[in-house]
Amino acid sequence: MALHVSLVSADAEVWTGEASLVVAKTVEGEIGLMSGHEPVLAILAEGQVRITQTDGSKVLANAQDGFLSMEGNELTIVAGNAALIS
């Protein structure tokens, strides 16, 4: 089962889709999240969010000033500033 990911900034949706793995930087260090991960709420630190989509392709974004929330197979990342890295 895939992980449903929503990455949003204060003013726009940055990326939404299905992923097999998401790695984000929190104030306590990097965290990797996969489908079935226990519920978690964490404060984002400035850094990259690395999303591995279900087809193996990667999406990279810079994010800061926010939090991430994992519940079931839903991961929501809310950042004050977030943008995809092209």
Side-chain angles (χ1 to χ4, degrees):
M1 180 177 281
L3 180 63
H4 182 74
V5 180
S6 294
L7 172 60
V8 298
S9 68
D11 58 354
E13 183 174 77
V14 176
W15 189 85
T16 297
E18 302 293 317
S20 58
L21 174 66
V22 177
V23 178
K25 189 173 181 183
T26 73
V27 294
E28 296 186 14
E30 280 195 338
I31 186 170
L33 301 153
M34 300 175 76
S35 178
H37 194 283
E38 66 182 39
V40 65
L41 180 64
I43 299 170
L44 285 178
E46 182 176 349
Q48 282 189 354
V49 176
R50 299 186 308 270
I51 302 166
T52 302
Q53 298 182 81
T54 54
D55 66 1
S57 61
K58 305 226 186 272
V59 175
L60 297 175
N62 283 325
Q64 65 184 40
D65 300 329
F67 67 92
L68 64 82
S69 173
M70 175 79 178
E71 182 72 37
N73 284 322
E74 299 278 330
L75 174 62
T76 303
I77 303 170
V78 180
N81 296 305
L84 292 177
I85 300 170
S86 51

